[in-house]
Amino acid sequence: MSSNGNSSAEAGDGTPLVPKLRFPEFAEADGWKEIPLQKLAQPVTDRATTGYAGSVLSLSGQHGLVLQSEYFGKKIAGDSTDRYVKIRKNDFVYNDRTTKASSFGTIKRLSAYEGGIVSPIYKCFRFQPSENPVFWEWYFESGSHDPALGGLVNEGARAGRFNISVTQFLSTNAWRPDEAEQQKIADCLDSAEALIAAQGRKVEALRAHKKGLMQKLFPQEGEAQPRLRFPEFEAMGDWAEERLESLAKRGSGHTPSKSKPEYYDGGINWISLADSKRLDNGLIFETDIEISAEGIKNSSAVLHRAGSVLISRDAGIGKSAVMALPMAVSQHFIVWTCDDRKLSNWFLYHLLQQSKPLFDRAATGSTIKTIGLQFFIDLRFRIPSRPEQQRIADCLNSLDGLIAAETRKFDTLRTHKKGLMQQLFPQVGEDEE
């Protein structure tokens, strides 16, 4: 590919646009030309007939256009099907009530099915046969669009929603290259998306493998031995049932008075509900909020040592982590500091992860469910010998490391695709470099 510094022009002045990155065969080609969308596409207004028995489709912001159900002569959401719109493969759909003004990625192309019907809340349009629908799908996802569309959105927007009709949408302009360049861009981005999808499947397969392995490495409820053991421990017999408090020191936390600014921003990591997103990922390195030594001194908060294992007792019930540094916690967490001669902290972490169904059952409450302190005081688990604990922890930690590495690859591919799109499509209104 080649780079081109003449990247854009102001919308509406008729000047062709040139993307920052072009394939070599198009490096000397003319710039992309501005054209009204209504010359390339038209609204879809075909209505379903009464008693239509084909596929009913639903637009999902996360999953695109997906098969929702089959229609068997009954009413759907209180409407008869004669108000539904008939669409076919490669038609585009958006819901002006949910599509965000800031994101054109929720304008979806029907790609998985040959056709079907959609609720009248969806706005539908169809490109001419000469246009490449895959190119236009990527075009909308790239965010490259006429700034005039933003004006229409702002005029009718409610809570940041699109809130414009398909006719208004098609009255705006688009910039398009010739058919050969459209195809090249579509093929390139489809290939990138296929790589991302393959990497995503790899990550999910590893997660499923770990889940299945954990179910075998820990005894099932009512059993005294796991179904899978490392060879050196096969003759070791049953795991002993132990009260967790006999193996680890239980601790909790507190929230220093928020009316005292000197109790906060003092460099001591303090795990609160705001850190829920950081749990269930092994080590926790940082927190949203820090407290001070004064905050600990004047409250019931405690500084727990690095390596301590924590679990959430209410919001995000059962989520756990291992402290990478000395940290304090709020009253929403229980902390265990393991006696290393008896219990591996990493074994305990994985055991807590495997025991989430137990914690879900223990939670009570009508609005916010929580686990009472007595449950943790009485908590008992079947525990193997210290060497077997370490073997299991090392195995699962290695698998977690592999999952983390493959997840980073997945994220890198997505970031690469996003950056690629920003360069393959001219960004309207950018200053020339």
Side-chain angles (χ1 to χ4, degrees), residues 357-370:
L358 170 67
F359 301 126
D360 286 337
R361 293 195 301 270
T364 59
S366 56
T367 53
I368 299 177
K369 290 185 177 297
T370 189

Side-chain angles (χ1 to χ4, degrees), residues 62 172 264 287 322 365 369 373 386 430:
Q62 289 185 324
T172 60
Y264 288 85
T287 58
V322 177
K369 290 185 177 297
L373 179 60
R386 186 62 177 77
E430 274 188 351

Side-chain angles (χ1 to χ4, degrees), residues 307-347:
S308 296
V309 183
L310 66 107
I311 187 170
S312 176
R313 57 185 293 194
D314 41 41
I317 286 171
K319 283 191 168 189
S320 56
V322 177
M323 294 178 181
L325 306 164
M327 295 182 178
V329 301
S330 74
Q331 64 273 21
H332 302 286
F333 299 91
I334 295 292
V335 179
W336 285 284
T337 303
C338 297
D339 181 341
D340 193 56
R341 298 166 301 171
K342 301 177 181 179
L343 182 62
S344 158
N345 61 341
W346 280 107
F347 175 83

Side-chain angles (χ1 to χ4, degrees), residues 87-107:
I87 59 174
R88 62 190 189 212
K89 190 170 185 176
N90 290 325
D91 283 351
F92 286 77
V93 180
Y94 68 89
N95 181 346
D96 65 356
R97 301 179 191 180
T98 59
T99 299
K100 296 296 183 182
S102 60
S103 172
F104 290 79
T106 46
I107 300 175

Side-chain angles (χ1 to χ4, degrees), residues 26-39:
F26 305 111
E28 303 301 323
D30 292 338
W32 294 24
K33 294 181 174 58
E34 184 178 10
I35 185 170
L37 272 173
Q38 61 192 4
K39 290 189 175 181

Side-chain angles (χ1 to χ4, degrees), residues 214 217-219 239 244 247 309 322 338 342-354 381-394 396-397:
M214 289 180 72
L217 286 175
F218 293 94
W239 289 18
L244 186 52
L247 307 173
V309 183
V322 177
C338 297
K342 301 177 181 179
L343 182 62
S344 158
N345 61 341
W346 280 107
F347 175 83
L348 176 59
Y349 167 74
H350 292 296
L351 178 59
L352 296 178
Q353 291 279 301
Q354 176 63 15
F381 287 115
R382 286 198 174 271
I383 305 291
S385 66
R386 186 62 177 77
E388 189 170 3
Q389 292 177 35
Q390 194 62 52
R391 189 77 166 86
I392 292 170
D394 289 345
L396 294 174
N397 283 350

Side-chain angles (χ1 to χ4, degrees), residues 59-93:
L59 189 67
S60 163
Q62 289 185 324
H63 304 107
L65 203 56
V66 296
L67 186 63
Q68 181 185 37
S69 63
E70 295 295 321
Y71 177 68
F72 297 106
K74 61 184 178 182
K75 289 187 176 182
I76 301 175
D79 294 323
S80 61
T81 54
D82 56 11
R83 295 188 61 240
Y84 280 56
V85 179
K86 290 179 68 175
I87 59 174
R88 62 190 189 212
K89 190 170 185 176
N90 290 325
D91 283 351
F92 286 77
V93 180

